[in-house]
Amino acid sequence: MKHNPLCKPWEHRLSRRQWLGGAAGAAAGTFGLGNITTSAFAVDLKKKYKQVLFIWLDGGISQLESWDPKPNTEFGGPFRTIATSVPGVHFSELLPHTAQQMQHLAVVRSLCTQDDAHSSGVERIQRGDPKNRGVVYPYFSAAVTKLLGPNDSGLPPSAWIKPMSGGFIYKDAGFLGPKYGSLAFGDGKPPENLLQHSSVSNQDLLERSQLRTLADKRYSQTHRDGATEANSFVYDMGLELMKRQDMFDMSKSSPRDVERYGTHDLGRHLLLARRMLEAGVTFVKVNSYGWDTHGDNFNGSLSLVRKFDQPFAAIIEDLSAAGMLDNVLVIAMSEFGRTPRVNGHLGRDHWPEAWSLVMAGCGVKRGIVVGSTNDNGSYVNSEPYDIGHMFHTWFNALGIDSQKTEYNNNSQPLPIAHEGCHPVKELLA
Amino acid sequence: MSASRRTTSSAGLTHLLGVGFWLALAAGFTSVAFADELPARIDALIATAAKDAPLGATCDEATFVRRVYLDLAGRIPSWREATAFLDSKEANKRQQLIDTLLASSDYPRRMQDLFHAMLMERRGDNPEWTKFLQASFEANKPWDQLVREILDPDPSNEAIRGAAFFHTKRLDKVGQQETDYPGLTRDVGRLFLGMDLQCAQCHNHLFIESYKQVDFQGLYTVYQNTFIRNDLKFPAIGEKVLTKKADFSSVFDKVSLTTGPRVPGGKEIEIPSFDKNEEYLVPPDKKTNFPGAPRFRAMQFIATELPTAGNKAFADNIANRLWFVMMGRGLVNPLDQQHATNRPSHPELLDLLSQEIVAQKFDMKWMLRQLVLTQTYQRTAVLPAGTAPPKPETYRIANEKRLSAEQLMNSVQVATGSRDKPREADAEKLRVAFVKAFGNVPQDPEVEFSPSLKSSLFVLNDPAVLDCLAPQPGNLADRLLKISDSAVLADELYLSVLTRKPTDEERTAVTEYLAKNLERRPAAIANLSWALLASTEFCLNH
Amino acid sequence: MPNEPPKPLPPKPFTVIKTERQISSIRFSPDGKFLFAAGRDGKIHRWDFSQPQAPVEESADTQKQNSKVPEPVVPELPPLSGHDGWVSQIAFHPKSPHLFSADTWGRLIGWSLVGATPQSVWNVPNAHDGWIRQVALSADGEQLATCGLDKMIRLWSTADGKKLQEIVGQGEDVFSLAFHPDGKSLVAGDLKGIVKHWNLADGKVVREFDAQILYMLSFIQDVGGVRVLAFDAEGKTLAVAGAKPASGGFVEALPHVKFFNWSDGAEIQTLNIGEKTEGFVHELAFHPDGYWVGVCSGQPGRGRFFFHRVGEPQPFFTADKQMPNCHSAALHPTGERLAVISNAGTSGQMKSKAREGIYPGNSSPIHIFDLPKVTV
């Protein structure tokens, strides 16, 4: 079916606004697990907070210049390979720091997906490319915050660190509704009005909060539930973010962090991502743009991949050292890979047929490579995995049984991942 | 005596006395002399549907004055206005206040804000559009006429040409996305017919039998043929010459169908064919960029056929939306899901309202007055104790309503006594700031209370709010600072911000807090005021 | 204008040599008898121009349009192996029969061209840590200079491959370098558009030329770089070339050349060529008749070669038809012949038949032109 511009978020949903509660903000109201069937997992989840770091290299990182090098072959490009910390596993020489963290990573070299256009590809991948049921599926970020439910960090459950503008990005949530959108921190900057007004002392701030809470408590005694709860939720979140505004102040980074993460956007944003994960944000997405190297791919990759390598290795190392990697699922990927064929502009074009991604942590086996491509990298010669397989795998890594759990979209049961796919057992610890 | 205990007794009493007695009582309260007048008939239908379930008592005077000011004037009453009403001994004072407000200059402004948010759904502003709405509500323009002017905007009439913004804003290209003709089509259905035909674009609706693909396509044929005119400096929409019907087929059965322009549920119009060079009334002019005025204009056809007394969906939609505005929930809910499988909570009531507004030639001010005069409108929002909360669609107690960004801005200014201060430019800046903080994201209808992180940070830290708490001659902070008796201070504070007297408990709390903070009294007063502004009670029309 | 120098007639297509794979760079041997090519297959390819062959009937080239006359075929000699990754650059010794080649894995090889089959006479596996961007011979042929993405500049003895000197301090990925004809100076250009003039005697920077217009940061991508540095025959003019980048990713870039007066460092001329789809100037060669021959390559299908005399507002000749992706040009020592590499094959991401063994790569046809002598 032709991509339908109209069948967007709220199609086929009769009473979106009934349960929407708090729209238009960073997830006001409560995050009930009410519209998910399978109740057992909710209990499991409470044992430990799971978190996700999702690094999106927009435009398509070349698998050949990163995770699946083919040195000295027709399409192998100019670069050498290097050994990693796991014997027998090699990366492109553009990933020297990450190669030293391979013991934590799981590399998938056998992705074979459906879409070779950015405009639709980004969405299809991030929504898990489910079967078309005429509804718009949530992005992985919205799915995870919905399925994992709230934690007690008091922070927005879904943060998106990206270059350029910020704001509340709600369309990603698909049929789950705006509540499950992400709070985007444009250029890693905090939201507006985070700074305490000069006329308000800390004591004032505290007393204001207490007095407001008291007023809301009184009101709620005689009125319907929900409104005061939502109001308190957003005030508490605002105050929590104010308390943690140092998080956004990169001038307070240690020299060691600055050196290890780098001062470019992706480095700064991954450092901020680490702080947000430490603070308890459930899903942190970090976007890097400009990976669509149709031209001068090799010089482009030199710059891009190396600028990814350094902070990515640093955050893996840091999460591991802090013991957080056990509960944080890290994923780094694009909407597709790049053609083995090198075009006349020394570029590589879009290639969904045989590409790679990397993941780590939380329920994912460590130090392994799954799948393979043929000698010149032009096709997958092991079992090909679609993005649906990855969604199944990630949900299971997070403790969610992807084959039993369903969304309940106004009594329309919907699988959380493509039912034609399955979790990749090899990847799960 | 606490509010909740008061409610218990009156709700219980109502229950004991039964519905019949209560109806008579209601008539007495609202001073509606004849039971066959619309407010009484509305109340009767609500009561009948409630069967034996108790109905909430009439709200107290303080709640009423706040509620009706917010609904008809778009703001809370000032402490002076509130006091005047509360002190009045007139038996008929509620109705008098309603009529005063409907006649005030606040009313058209409130309607302008309300319909701007409803029709544009925070897509953006335009001065020509604002002018159009303002003039329309100042003249109490009938709804059918207003919609006709929107559906076929007349660029030659300066007073109403801004109506085209409804279309042009929706046809604006955003980034690389295609022009959203389906979105415009969908919104015409949603906002003027209460029908979200979105799913019917590609197939007859899966769940909603009455939404047919041809309903969508009949409108889509019209709107996919439109464009934003670039030869004029104000928003204006043009139409290309329409020569052929739209071909479409269901994604399910792939059977090819066609339709010409058609109002959902109406008759298709044959597209006339003209000789070459005869298709234009006024031919295009390349020099001036004038795109030409086609002899047959489908938008004109839709504007003639859609907003009519005979179009039940059109009448039902506005009746339902006005009901929603006053009662906090549509009889059909969601508002754009009017169809056979999503029945109104009170079908006869919707029919009644629909017939009445047609009979009154779509006079919205008249209809709002009728609704405000009902006992249903004037009921308390306080929950009955000891039983489950009544469902919102029963209207047994008043539903709390979200305050719009504009209502909040006006009310913050009234409460803190800073109204009338800002110059025009500052006022606009303030409005933009409040809309940014409290408005929904574009295209998301503002239906329910939706506080957000940005709204909380705005109230916590933005000077637009906090500056109001600094003492200025005659403002709230200034007045409170001059009151030495904390109990009196509490009364004035609560009346100014929440339009009611504090309870004894609240008065005591204020007194104790101030006593503890004698040495930082100005800060303490600001904190007390802030807490009430940030409270849920302030942010809702209850 | 009375003093206007004579212009050559437009180049005349001689033949097109097909290749199986893509090529980085081409050079004619100083005796004009051979054309060598640095292959992106890790090999050095060779063609024998000593005896132009009679046209062969069935070789009618589909790429050459409007040509009824079959093209001459230039015999290919067996390629040279020994490199990894891509052979990035090749350079001939100006006086003796030697060739020097470099690759993207850091290897540098000296070849003897005496005898039927060239032999490697020395081989430095890690001349640089990775990609060797450029090699240049001193005028006397004694020294070979190399630079690379390891930010290093090194000088080697052409006789035995011994490292003579190391110049540290360019600070960035060094894309290009050139010896000044006087043999005392070296210029090197880097990613960020800085050209440094190095004094070979003490290894210190003498001065810098600003070509930062050849660089941009697009999101996190460093785009551009000084792709070409070249002197005219007398060393009076320094040409600095690359492109003025407009975006990363696709890399939209406007071909751009700056000419500097060597004596005082003044900028003589800035030349923008074509559109921003036409990409980088990849090569500039100084013709014995006193003009510059340049090639540029941009987005797939976009590229051209041009002839330019410094001081004139625009190139006096620009190939009127786009020639896809010209990555290198070589001038025959006499100046009578020009070789330009282009690109052929598919780009894009069309559905693959790789599993059935069908997944062709691109190749670099070499277009040979005759350059008619300047007529006065």
Side-chain angles (χ1 to χ4, degrees):
Chain A
M1 178 177 158
K2 188 173 168 287
H3 177 66
N4 173 7
L6 201 63
C7 278
K8 280 211 167 124
W10 306 301
E11 188 180 27
H12 299 175
R13 190 142 51 79
L14 303 185
S15 56
R16 164 169 54 112
R17 289 136 204 152
Q18 272 179 320
W19 65 273
L20 192 67
T30 51
F31 288 86
L33 294 163
N35 57 340
I36 302 172
T37 48
T38 307
S39 53
F41 81 89
V43 182
D44 291 338
L45 287 175
K46 281 183 185 143
K47 289 178 193 161
K48 260 177 193 168
Y49 298 139
K50 312 271 187 189
Q51 293 170 287
V52 177
L53 169 63
F54 189 75
I55 303 166
W56 183 257
L57 307 173
D58 194 85
I61 183 176
S62 167
Q63 70 281 7
L64 294 155
E65 275 68 57
S66 56
W67 314 112
D68 192 13
K70 301 284 178 182
N72 268 349
T73 65
E74 179 174 7
F75 306 122
F79 298 114
R80 300 172 289 179
T81 57
I82 48 172
T84 67
S85 57
V86 172
V89 177
H90 290 78
F91 288 165
S92 162
E93 64 171 310
L94 304 185
L95 290 167
H97 297 89
T98 305
Q100 292 312 306
Q101 303 299 326
M102 180 61 211
Q103 74 276 16
H104 299 302
L105 307 178
V107 173
V108 181
R109 284 176 173 161
S110 47
L111 289 171
C112 180
T113 52
Q114 310 303 319
D115 205 315
D116 65 8
H118 297 292
S119 50
S120 46
V122 173
E123 284 205 15
R124 280 178 76 171
I125 294 295
Q126 294 203 35
R127 297 189 198 280
D129 205 5
K131 258 186 200 165
N132 188 349
R133 288 182 168 81
V135 297
V136 175
Y137 262 69
Y139 271 36
F140 189 54
S141 52
V144 166
T145 46
K146 170 75 184 173
L147 295 166
L148 287 186
N151 67 26
D152 61 3
S153 69
L155 289 170
S158 180
W160 184 11
I161 306 167
K162 63 193 280 292
M164 303 181 289
S165 64
F168 186 72
I169 312 294
Y170 58 97
K171 286 191 171 169
D172 295 1
F175 66 71
L176 292 179
K179 171 160 106 165
Y180 291 98
S182 313
L183 185 63
F185 298 86
D187 195 27
K189 291 199 173 69
E192 263 187 87
N193 285 315
L194 196 62
L195 277 185
Q196 201 166 318
H197 193 268
S198 58
S199 70
V200 182
S201 70
N202 285 341
Q203 188 186 352
D204 290 334
L205 196 64
L206 182 71
E207 288 174 4
R208 285 179 182 198
S209 179
Q210 289 167 342
L211 292 165
R212 185 204 54 76
T213 307
L214 198 65
D216 274 359
K217 215 166 143 187
R218 287 195 194 108
Y219 183 79
S220 70
Q221 283 168 0
T222 52
H223 291 84
R224 289 185 201 280
D225 292 337
T228 51
E229 203 179 333
N231 200 41
S232 293
F233 183 82
V234 297
Y235 274 102
D236 291 347
M237 191 188 288
L239 289 165
E240 192 62 35
L241 264 185
M242 283 172 69
K243 265 191 242 162
R244 296 172 188 252
Q245 55 188 277
D246 277 1
M247 194 158 68
F248 300 98
D249 187 352
M250 287 297 145
S251 70
K252 293 194 175 143
S253 309
S254 74
R256 181 170 177 269
D257 278 347
V258 172
E259 196 197 320
R260 290 166 64 248
Y261 283 77
T263 51
H264 50 80
D265 284 358
L266 185 52
R268 287 188 297 111
H269 294 171
L270 279 171
L271 183 54
L272 176 58
R274 192 193 77 193
R275 294 177 182 181
M276 285 190 174
L277 290 167
E278 287 165 352
V281 176
T282 300
F283 195 103
V284 181
K285 177 157 109 173
V286 176
N287 262 48
S288 173
Y289 292 103
W291 290 76
D292 196 17
T293 50
H294 287 280
D296 208 16
N297 168 71
F298 304 96
N299 288 311
S301 294
L302 256 176
S303 180
L304 292 161
V305 179
R306 291 199 295 188
K307 285 182 188 174
F308 162 79
D309 170 58
Q310 202 186 335
F312 181 69
I315 201 166
I316 293 290
E317 187 184 14
D318 288 349
L319 291 175
S320 168
M324 290 173 69
L325 206 50
D326 293 339
N327 292 307
V328 179
L329 173 65
V330 181
I331 299 159
M333 71 180 302
S334 301
E335 61 268 45
F336 35 56
R338 308 213 70 86
T339 47
R341 174 190 295 129
V342 178
N343 68 31
H345 195 12
L346 290 187
R348 297 193 192 265
D349 302 304
H350 305 169
W351 195 244
E353 304 228 350
W355 55 292
S356 308
L357 63 74
V358 66
M359 58 178 103
C362 188
V364 169
K365 209 174 274 178
R366 303 191 178 195
I368 59 156
V369 173
V370 168
S372 61
T373 50
N374 65 329
D375 287 348
N376 69 7
S378 58
Y379 60 85
V380 172
N381 63 5
S382 59
E383 186 189 350
Y385 294 132
D386 204 335
I387 187 62
H389 293 93
M390 295 301 108
F391 266 55
H392 277 286
T393 307
W394 298 334
F395 285 136
N396 281 279
L398 292 166
I400 300 159
D401 186 335
S402 61
Q403 286 160 313
K404 286 189 186 150
T405 310
E406 288 180 324
Y407 297 118
N408 179 352
N409 180 33
N410 288 296
S411 56
Q412 180 187 15
L414 294 167
I416 61 172
H418 196 301
E419 63 271 38
C421 302
H422 56 80
V424 179
K425 293 262 159 60
E426 266 181 286
L427 282 165
L428 293 168
Chain B
M1 193 159 89
S2 82
S4 88
R5 253 180 281 143
R6 271 203 310 269
T7 316
T8 314
S9 54
S10 50
L13 180 69
T14 310
H15 187 56
L16 282 175
L17 294 174
V19 175
F21 179 84
W22 180 89
L23 268 178
L25 198 65
F29 269 124
T30 54
S31 306
V32 173
F34 304 104
D36 60 345
E37 287 192 6
L38 185 56
R41 293 169 69 192
I42 291 169
D43 289 330
L45 286 168
I46 293 292
T48 306
K51 299 196 179 121
D52 293 340
L55 297 163
T58 298
C59 66
D60 59 35
E61 304 287 36
T63 304
F64 175 78
V65 68
R66 183 178 190 271
R67 185 182 295 173
V68 78
Y69 260 89
L70 282 166
D71 280 331
L72 299 182
R75 61 179 177 86
I76 59 167
S78 71
W79 65 280
R80 275 204 186 84
E81 289 165 332
T83 307
F85 179 79
L86 296 175
D87 290 351
S88 164
K89 300 281 184 278
E90 294 270 349
N92 208 16
K93 67 182 183 180
R94 289 194 180 196
Q95 186 176 328
Q96 281 175 5
L97 177 61
I98 291 166
D99 289 329
T100 306
L101 292 176
L102 285 171
S104 75
S105 62
D106 281 333
Y107 170 77
R109 179 69 208 214
R110 154 70 176 148
M111 289 296 116
Q112 181 191 325
D113 290 340
L114 174 70
F115 278 85
H116 172 60
M118 184 194 289
L119 296 177
M120 293 314 296
E121 295 179 335
R122 302 301 183 194
R123 284 174 170 82
D125 304 315
N126 180 283
E128 294 271 353
W129 167 254
T130 305
K131 195 166 84 177
F132 163 70
L133 288 181
Q134 192 178 349
S136 297
F137 289 105
E138 276 168 3
N140 189 30
K141 190 180 283 172
W143 174 244
D144 58 337
Q145 184 189 341
L146 192 143
V147 175
R148 206 169 296 121
E149 288 169 0
I150 289 176
L151 290 178
D152 187 22
D154 180 359
S156 66
N157 184 339
E158 204 184 319
I160 59 170
R161 66 191 188 188
F165 185 63
F166 177 87
H167 304 277
T168 57
K169 188 66 192 171
R170 287 172 166 86
L171 293 182
D172 258 353
K173 272 179 84 79
V174 181
Q176 294 182 324
Q177 289 176 4
E178 291 170 38
T179 303
D180 195 9
Y181 300 111
L184 172 58
T185 307
R186 179 187 175 211
D187 279 356
V188 169
R190 283 180 56 232
L191 297 167
F192 302 130
L193 300 171
M195 296 161 74
D196 185 348
L197 299 167
Q198 172 165 294
C199 302
Q201 182 183 12
C202 316
H203 46 75
N204 286 345
H205 202 288
L206 292 180
F207 306 146
I208 306 171
E209 212 171 313
S210 48
Y211 287 5
K212 300 295 187 201
Q213 194 176 4
V214 68
D215 291 335
F216 180 87
Q217 294 292 343
L219 284 177
Y220 183 61
T221 308
V222 179
Y223 294 109
Q224 53 82 32
N225 197 46
T226 59
F227 56 89
I228 301 173
R229 280 179 65 173
N230 57 13
D231 60 324
L232 299 172
K233 290 203 163 60
F234 49 87
I237 183 156
E239 279 179 271
K240 289 176 271 184
V241 173
L242 189 61
T243 52
K244 64 187 265 295
K245 296 181 174 195
D247 298 320
F248 63 96
S249 66
S250 167
V251 293
F252 297 138
D253 57 21
K254 311 284 184 206
V255 175
S256 292
L257 299 163
T258 62
T259 184
R262 177 179 172 279
V263 169
K267 277 217 176 74
E268 177 189 342
I269 188 174
E270 281 304 319
I271 299 168
S273 59
F274 297 100
D275 291 341
K276 201 161 164 51
N277 302 326
E278 286 298 307
E279 64 269 39
Y280 284 107
L281 210 57
V282 189
D285 183 344
K286 281 199 175 141
K287 271 189 213 148
T288 57
N289 265 339
F290 175 67
R295 210 171 279 278
F296 171 70
R297 293 194 305 105
M299 284 181 72
Q300 189 178 35
F301 166 74
I302 297 295
T304 317
E305 294 292 310
L306 189 149
T308 61
N311 185 349
K312 185 160 187 323
F314 175 74
D316 283 357
N317 174 64
I318 190 59
N320 190 47
R321 284 180 182 272
L322 293 178
W323 175 270
F324 159 75
V325 168
M326 289 300 140
M327 307 299 182
R329 184 188 165 92
L331 293 165
V332 173
N333 182 64
L335 299 175
D336 53 14
Q337 293 290 341
Q338 272 181 196
H339 54 78
T341 46
N342 185 40
R343 301 279 296 152
S345 56
H346 299 71
E348 285 173 58
L349 176 51
L350 182 60
D351 284 344
L352 173 64
L353 296 176
S354 181
Q355 287 156 15
E356 288 289 321
I357 197 162
V358 168
Q360 295 296 325
K361 302 197 172 3
F362 294 103
D363 180 340
M364 292 192 281
K365 192 189 260 195
W366 176 86
M367 177 56 87
L368 292 178
R369 182 172 182 276
Q370 302 303 307
L371 296 179
V372 177
L373 285 170
T374 61
Q375 181 63 24
T376 306
Y377 175 82
Q378 297 187 24
R379 222 162 256 148
T380 180
V382 171
L383 293 172
T387 60
K391 288 189 172 154
E393 62 270 28
T394 64
Y395 306 98
R396 285 169 45 210
I397 59 171
N399 291 314
E400 295 154 298
K401 288 169 289 197
R402 162 196 181 126
L403 295 200
S404 69
E406 291 87 351
Q407 286 172 311
L408 278 166
M409 175 187 75
N410 296 335
S411 299
V412 166
Q413 289 182 292
V414 170
T416 57
S418 51
R419 197 169 159 84
D420 300 332
K421 248 195 327 188
R423 292 174 294 123
E424 193 61 30
D426 293 342
E428 180 55 20
K429 240 169 81 183
L430 196 65
R431 195 186 65 79
V432 169
F434 268 81
V435 169
K436 196 171 160 196
F438 293 102
N440 278 15
V441 291
Q443 306 183 34
D444 192 33
E446 290 177 359
V447 176
E448 295 185 341
F449 182 49
S450 306
S452 70
L453 181 65
K454 66 183 155 81
S455 67
S456 70
L457 287 173
F458 180 78
V459 178
L460 278 163
N461 297 319
D462 201 289
V465 175
L466 300 189
D467 287 354
C468 299
L469 300 175
Q472 296 285 338
N475 78 353
L476 176 67
D478 184 51
R479 297 198 317 269
L480 295 180
L481 277 166
K482 289 175 182 153
I483 302 174
S484 50
D485 181 335
S486 293
V488 177
L489 184 150
D491 283 9
E492 174 122 9
L493 170 66
Y494 272 74
L495 188 63
S496 298
V497 181
L498 298 180
T499 322
R500 65 172 173 88
K501 288 271 158 60
T503 61
D504 293 343
E505 187 194 344
E506 286 167 334
R507 194 177 289 112
T508 309
V510 168
T511 309
E512 284 173 1
Y513 175 69
L514 289 172
K516 259 193 276 176
N517 293 287
L518 282 175
E519 74 290 355
R520 51 191 284 273
R521 198 171 153 82
I525 288 172
N527 293 346
L528 285 167
S529 310
W530 183 91
L532 295 190
L533 288 176
S535 71
T536 308
E537 183 175 348
F538 184 77
C539 298
L540 291 174
N541 188 0
H542 49 83
Chain C
M1 283 205 287
N3 292 334
E4 196 176 327
K7 301 277 168 64
L9 296 170
K12 201 175 131 196
F14 173 66
T15 192
V16 179
I17 300 172
K18 285 195 199 170
T19 63
E20 271 183 37
R21 301 273 292 271
Q22 286 169 305
I23 283 170
S24 316
S25 173
I26 44 175
R27 292 290 180 265
F28 278 105
S29 59
D31 61 8
K33 289 180 182 166
F34 300 95
L35 180 72
F36 278 47
R40 296 210 168 105
D41 54 358
K43 297 193 172 76
I44 299 165
H45 299 272
R46 303 181 295 148
W47 290 270
D48 183 356
F49 272 79
S50 57
Q51 305 149 21
Q53 302 286 298
V56 178
E57 201 59 41
E58 62 269 20
S59 78
D61 195 289
T62 47
Q63 298 210 18
K64 188 157 161 34
Q65 292 161 15
N66 309 322
S67 168
K68 284 169 195 159
V69 186
E71 292 175 340
V73 170
V74 182
E76 183 169 4
L77 305 171
L80 309 181
S81 301
H83 279 293
D84 292 299
W86 295 350
V87 182
S88 54
Q89 298 290 345
I90 49 173
F92 286 96
H93 194 286
K95 291 171 180 167
S96 72
H98 286 93
L99 174 78
F100 308 96
S101 58
D103 70 30
T104 56
W105 289 25
R107 185 184 296 271
L108 191 60
I109 302 179
W111 305 84
S112 163
L113 303 179
V114 179
T117 307
Q119 299 293 325
S120 147
V121 290
W122 53 261
N123 188 322
V124 184
N126 292 303
H128 285 266
D129 184 6
W131 198 331
I132 300 176
R133 295 286 198 174
Q134 188 57 279
V135 297
L137 271 291
S138 61
D140 61 9
E142 304 270 304
Q143 293 183 49
L144 175 70
T146 58
C147 61
L149 68 76
D150 59 1
K151 306 178 183 177
M152 304 301 289
I153 299 165
R154 294 192 171 113
L155 283 92
W156 313 83
S157 160
T158 52
D160 55 11
K162 287 234 164 70
K163 187 160 75 183
L164 302 172
Q165 196 177 343
E166 189 162 273
I167 294 173
V168 187
Q170 186 78 28
E172 293 287 344
D173 185 346
V174 196
F175 271 81
S176 52
L177 51 69
F179 276 103
H180 189 267
D182 70 8
K184 293 176 188 164
S185 300
L186 186 76
V187 287
D190 63 31
L191 173 64
K192 300 280 173 73
I194 301 293
V195 177
K196 290 184 179 172
H197 168 186
W198 296 93
N199 179 1
L200 291 172
D202 60 6
K204 292 205 165 121
V205 176
V206 179
R207 56 182 166 162
E208 286 185 10
F209 297 87
D210 180 2
Q212 290 177 80
I213 193 167
L214 302 180
Y215 166 82
M216 84 176 285
L217 179 68
S218 171
F219 294 106
I220 59 169
Q221 183 183 356
D222 299 304
V223 190
V226 178
R227 300 295 175 103
V228 180
L229 284 172
F231 286 100
D232 62 4
E234 295 175 351
K236 286 183 176 168
T237 304
L238 169 65
V240 178
K244 188 179 159 190
S247 76
F250 274 71
V251 182
E252 287 187 310
L254 176 68
H256 189 92
V257 190
K258 278 181 188 301
F259 295 100
F260 292 96
N261 192 348
W262 181 247
S263 62
D264 62 2
E267 190 178 314
I268 306 167
Q269 188 180 11
T270 288
L271 193 61
N272 288 310
I273 297 143
E275 302 164 13
K276 67 179 183 183
T277 48
E278 290 178 42
F280 295 95
V281 174
H282 281 285
E283 190 107 63
L284 278 174
F286 192 70
H287 194 277
D289 289 346
Y291 60 88
W292 293 89
V293 174
V295 295
C296 60
S297 162
Q299 290 175 14
R302 306 284 290 175
R304 58 172 87 223
F305 65 98
F306 57 90
F307 302 160
H308 178 70
R309 211 182 287 276
V310 175
E312 294 177 6
Q314 282 297 312
F316 62 82
F317 172 82
T318 305
D320 54 354
K321 226 171 55 183
Q322 293 278 336
M323 180 181 287
N325 304 96
C326 311
H327 278 276
S328 181
L331 266 177
H332 193 271
T334 62
E336 290 169 5
R337 186 163 279 172
L338 172 68
V340 178
I341 58 171
S342 70
N343 188 79
T346 47
S347 61
Q349 53 254 15
M350 52 213 296
K351 198 75 182 166
S352 164
K353 290 186 175 174
R355 203 170 283 279
E356 295 100 88
I358 305 166
Y359 188 71
N362 284 2
S363 64
S364 300
I366 306 171
H367 296 253
I368 312 292
F369 297 90
D370 284 333
L371 296 182
K373 244 334 208 190
V374 175
T375 49
V376 183

